């Protein structure tokens, strides 16, 4: 299979778009002010990632097998979800995003500037997961 950076970035872009929509929608539904605040911050972070990925897009080919799993297992949105259920899904989505960015970083180990970008984004997703997990402990 022959993939391009654009192919990989397209997956990441879809992931960031989905995460932005998820957090933005949940922020509008949250009944707890602190939950709303954290979800709005996560939505903005995902929007920032999306804008960066759109800027980064190029056509450099790579020859790697890439698997981006975890998002399906994270769960779907449901308007009847409790804040706790929303946060459980959010933790899983952030973990899947971190895993995806680490896979991308591994692909670009020989290209330090790209490796740095994807590893940095993985760390940010790890921090998001930790922040959401901390909120989850309040329930």
């Amino acid at each position: 299979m022959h993939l391009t950076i654009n192919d990989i970035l397209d997956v990441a872009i879809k992931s960031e778009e989905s995460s932005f929509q998820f957090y933005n929608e949940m922020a509008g539904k949250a009944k707890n002010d602190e939950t709303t605040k954290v979800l709005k911050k996560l939505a903005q972070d995902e929007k920032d990632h999306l804008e960066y990925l759109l800027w980064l897009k190029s056509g450099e080919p790579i020859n790697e097998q890439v698997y981006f799993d975890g998002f399906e297992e994270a769960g779907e949105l449901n308007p009847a979800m409790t804040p706790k259920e929303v946060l459980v899904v959010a933790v899983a989505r952030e973990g899947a995003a971190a895993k995806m960015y680490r896979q991308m970083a591994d692909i670009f180990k020989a290209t330090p500037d790209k490796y740095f970008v994807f590893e940095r984004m993985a760390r940010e997703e790890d921090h998001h997961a930790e922040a959401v997990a901390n909120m989850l402990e309040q329930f």
Side-chain angles (χ1 to χ4, degrees):
M1 175 189 278
H2 182 76
L3 295 174
T4 67
I5 291 174
N6 280 340
D7 296 330
I8 293 171
L9 290 175
D10 285 342
V11 171
I13 287 166
K14 286 179 186 173
S15 166
E16 296 298 338
E17 286 172 340
S18 173
S19 293
F20 168 74
Q21 291 171 352
F22 174 79
Y23 292 129
N24 203 36
E25 185 176 328
M26 290 297 102
K29 294 179 179 182
K31 306 229 183 307
N32 177 301
D33 290 341
E34 190 63 26
T35 301
T36 299
K37 182 179 172 182
V38 170
L39 290 170
K40 283 183 177 181
K41 168 72 169 99
L42 290 170
Q44 183 60 52
D45 288 347
E46 302 303 339
K47 186 177 179 185
D48 292 344
H49 293 167
L50 174 61
E51 290 171 0
Y52 184 75
L53 289 169
L54 289 169
W55 174 80
L56 186 64
K57 242 179 126 171
S58 73
E60 184 179 328
I62 62 165
N63 293 308
E64 297 286 338
Q65 287 287 102
V66 183
Y67 301 97
F68 301 114
D69 57 358
F71 290 101
E72 299 82 20
E73 295 91 27
E76 296 292 323
L77 289 177
N78 179 332
M81 291 176 111
T82 66
K84 183 176 182 177
E85 291 168 330
V86 169
L87 295 175
V88 167
V89 172
V91 168
R93 289 178 67 89
E94 295 299 329
K99 180 179 177 183
M100 176 186 69
Y101 287 125
R102 286 212 166 78
Q103 288 177 357
M104 291 178 184
D106 285 344
I107 290 168
F108 295 107
K109 280 185 180 174
T111 313
D113 57 335
K114 290 184 177 99
Y115 174 83
F116 172 79
V117 167
F118 291 120
E119 187 56 38
R120 189 185 106 223
M121 291 182 79
R123 286 191 309 272
E124 286 184 26
E125 299 296 352
D126 286 338
H127 290 298
H128 291 168
E130 185 178 324
V132 175
N134 289 336
M135 285 183 59
L136 187 56
E137 290 176 6
Q138 298 173 13
F139 289 93

